[in-house]
Amino acid sequence: LLSLVVLSTIGVVSAAPVGFCDGGYRNGQQFTEGSFVKQCSADSLGSWSIDIVGCKTPFGRQISLGRTAEENNFVYSCERTANGATMNTRMTGSMGSGMGSGLGSGMGSGMGATRGCENGRYQRGEEYLSPNRSFVRRCLGDGGFDIVACIGGNGNRLRVGTQLVMNGFEHTCTKHVDGTVNYSMKPIF
């Protein structure tokens, strides 16, 4: 299962004007940050919080917490976690029987019908973005591929097995023993 994890941020009384959250967002205003939809809650006393209320697919479709959406041979589920939310990604059955849910290697569309990957569009050794634009694949030349990097919500490319600290967040791209690849982003306190 491919997943993207982010932790919600909460603000308490700050220099933000009354009725606004840090960053200039108005009470009730929703905005997108990476793959997540957030909403500002601010009161007349100056207290505010920003909570994750949904997820956004790579093609811009908004998904409410607890819901799923199918887009371009992927199923996205947006789930609340103890620390915020996660958007899980898995391939639909139409991608071929060699794929499995969220595996880091498998068969691309048109498996066995052509040389290369994605119906011959990419050749052995070439790297390309997954259809959901969240991962970088390397073509194995027989229709199969390996996931070699994650694409963070800010567009950064992070090789599998590495971490990056940037703008107060730790970004991690991990490949597990079962072949699944996971991207996570968590705040550093």
Side-chain angles (χ1 to χ4, degrees):
L1 191 63
L2 304 174
S3 63
L4 182 64
V5 180
V6 77
L7 306 174
S8 66
T9 56
I10 296 180
V12 187
V13 182
S14 76
V18 173
F20 287 82
C21 294
D22 194 33
Y25 299 105
R26 294 180 318 279
N27 183 41
Q29 182 178 357
Q30 290 188 357
F31 58 97
T32 300
E33 194 170 274
S35 298
F36 297 92
V37 179
K38 298 181 176 184
Q39 183 170 327
C40 166
S41 297
D43 65 23
S44 61
L45 300 175
S47 295
W48 58 269
S49 67
I50 296 176
D51 298 303
I52 297 173
V53 296
C55 302
K56 193 156 276 206
T57 68
F59 296 96
R61 185 172 176 186
Q62 187 168 326
I63 309 168
S64 298
L65 287 171
R67 302 281 191 187
T68 62
E70 187 171 333
E71 185 175 81
N72 289 2
N73 296 320
F74 286 88
V75 175
Y76 300 90
S77 63
C78 185
E79 306 293 331
R80 182 173 299 285
T81 66
N83 298 319
T86 182
M87 184 166 68
N88 296 307
T89 307
R90 67 179 169 82
M91 295 178 184
T92 62
S94 63
M95 290 296 286
S97 60
M99 197 50 126
S101 291
L103 290 179
S105 62
M107 300 300 291
S109 55
M111 55 188 203
T114 61
R115 290 190 129 342
C117 299
E118 305 294 326
N119 291 320
R121 195 165 155 197
Y122 304 99
Q123 299 305 309
R124 174 183 283 277
E126 279 189 88
E127 293 183 359
Y128 60 98
L129 287 176
S130 62
N132 70 353
R133 306 183 68 75
S134 296
F135 298 93
V136 177
R137 295 174 172 176
R138 179 178 295 134
C139 180
L140 299 178
D142 59 358
F145 61 85
D146 278 331
I147 294 178
V148 296
C150 302
I151 304 296
N154 56 8
N156 284 335
R157 181 177 169 147
L158 191 61
R159 286 263 171 221
V160 168
T162 61
Q163 292 180 339
L164 170 69
V165 175
M166 187 173 80
N167 299 329
F169 287 88
E170 179 182 81
H171 304 261
T172 307
C173 184
T174 307
K175 189 169 192 172
H176 302 281
V177 292
D178 66 358
T180 60
V181 176
N182 170 267
Y183 167 77
S184 64
M185 179 176 90
K186 63 182 178 182
I188 299 172
F189 297 104

